[in-house]
Amino acid sequence: MYLIKEMSSDVYSFTAFALNHLWLCSFPPFGCRENPGKERRSKENFDSHVLCCLGFGNMKGTQLGLCRDSVPKRASYGLIREMMKSAGCTIISSFTPFHSIILKNHCRFSSNIFYRHSTKSRKVSAYTQKRQRHTEAVMVAEGYFPPWFSVAPMMDWTDNHYRTLARLISKHAWLYTEMIAAETIVYQKDNLDRFLAFSPDQHPIVLQIGGSNLENLAKAAELANAYCYDEINFNCGCPSPKVAGHGCFGVSLMLNPKFVGEAMSVIAANSSVPVSVKCRIGVDDHDSYNELCDFIYKVSSQSPTRHFIIHARKALLNGISPADNRKIPPLKYEYYYGLLRDFPDLTFTINGGVNSVDEVNAARSEGAHRVMVGRAAYNNPWYTLGHVDTAIYGAPSSGITRRQVLEKYQVYGDAVLGKYGPGRPSVRDVVKPLLGLFHSEPRNGVWKRKADAAFRNCTTIKSFFEETLVEIPDSVLDSPLGEAPTGCENPFVNLHGMLPPPYKAREEEVLYA
């Protein structure tokens, strides 16, 4: 199903186009979440599509992979119809051949992208710019909500174990994998499940890849198709010396926007899902707002990239650690909001320094399209992720308790222990994401010390819980999540009076320098 989100201030109107359920179910599954190894249905076998005819400018579309069995599991059509009625929506279906509109290798350019080499592209009417700023085509497959909240990709942290825990707590947060090098995917193509496989329950989920070899990036994107990720993100923001220190990829690629544009083009050409870039606001002394805009302008002009995730700090590559790169460079949220003003046809996610759902809502109330949270979602998952569904998406509370979360996680954990050989993963690996589950609760420190001792002798997750959870009071284990905390300081207030001067693209210089 396609859900078109028209945003005007705080009012979201949704227009949806759906295929008849019984007609769709008459086909075998393709790109099926439950059958990730199956190839997507070919264009010869799938001759229907949904066509948007709304009568206003820049619309963005993506190829949609539907699964016959999964739609009823995610959201009933009756529920979807009621949601659309309440938003003043109309359901229309069309049986025009799908492959005549959208093909795998087609670029997902906005309607005016082909005119970017002309100065006319920046001279669109104020009305059109306003519509483009507040109009976004969002694929909401199987009942997914838009990615207003996402968990940042974090090396050694957002692995399969953490994402399993995160999805038990929040049903609607968008999850990202940790960065996987394109070379790893290519050279481990006979062992891909270890790196790319995930439970269907983890949708919506984004694969982040990194690399500097166009051929390997293309192959990696193609190999990832079988796993049915909902988006592929390209890492241009990691400051780790292992990644960026040798000038190979990560944040160092911000100094080479021409290559990033080429990389995004080959990734999109070999993938059937949307693509995006995650970057910083600058690198070392290349940290002016105009240089950031040059990067965004060049990449979006020379590739199908319509979504950028902006970590609102620059990266320092000389002599400081990744941890210091998250603290020492100052946050410049005004750069992010400047991009919203100067690139109304693009979508931007803000990242960096956001630690609670209250701050997420504060950023969105000031106009942020989407918000990404990093360490807070890992170090304090119960209170950070636990409020996402209710406070951000308006869903009713599930009433789940931490004991119930742990019971479900135990089933997962014992099933994956040693899956890829002795100790791969180990009890310690599987339990690692749980170490923040009792953040700030009574006896949390005692439990962690008990856990550290239990790692030496426990061989199952069940035995680990039996040995350690006696330290946590029942009142903590059995209490559902309380109300979301409010009243935090709003770091986004009054930013609109601090925005940098408007960006004026020097097209010939930027595109051909």
Side-chain angles (χ1 to χ4, degrees), residues 63 116 168 191 229 238 254 313 355-356 361 381 416 440 451 476 480 494 511:
Q63 182 176 341
R116 284 188 179 275
L168 289 173
N191 190 28
Y229 284 91
C238 180
M254 287 194 70
R313 289 184 175 92
N355 295 312
S356 68
N361 282 330
V416 300
S440 298
V476 173
N494 298 325
L511 292 174

Side-chain angles (χ1 to χ4, degrees), residues 153-203:
M154 294 175 281
M155 289 290 291
D156 298 323
W157 285 24
T158 52
D159 56 14
N160 225 331
H161 313 313
Y162 171 77
R163 298 194 308 268
T164 298
L165 173 66
R167 186 57 75 221
L168 289 173
I169 300 173
S170 170
K171 300 302 180 186
H172 304 309
W174 282 60
L175 305 178
Y176 279 64
T177 69
E178 55 187 332
M179 186 194 72
I180 304 175
E183 284 71 21
T184 300
I185 297 174
V186 172
Y187 300 145
Q188 295 283 340
K189 63 182 179 181
D190 296 326
N191 190 28
L192 280 182
D193 281 1
R194 180 180 174 187
F195 301 95
L196 297 181
F198 59 91
S199 164
D201 292 336
Q202 289 184 30
H203 288 285

Side-chain angles (χ1 to χ4, degrees), residues 104-105 108 221-222 225 232 266-275:
K104 172 182 176 182
N105 292 330
R108 301 174 185 84
E222 185 174 12
N225 281 329
I232 294 182
V266 301
I267 292 170
N270 288 276
S271 177
S272 50
V273 295
V275 295

Side-chain angles (χ1 to χ4, degrees), residues 222-237:
E222 185 174 12
L223 288 168
N225 281 329
Y227 292 86
C228 300
Y229 284 91
D230 298 293
E231 182 176 315
I232 294 182
N233 177 261
F234 186 51
N235 186 316
C236 294

Side-chain angles (χ1 to χ4, degrees), residues 87-120:
C89 299
T90 304
I91 300 178
I92 304 173
S93 63
S94 168
F95 296 97
T96 308
F98 177 73
H99 52 79
S100 66
I101 306 297
I102 302 173
L103 296 179
K104 172 182 176 182
N105 292 330
H106 280 200
C107 294
R108 301 174 185 84
F109 289 105
S110 63
S111 58
N112 69 345
I113 193 68
F114 301 104
Y115 302 101
R116 284 188 179 275
H117 293 278
S118 165
T119 54
K120 294 180 181 179

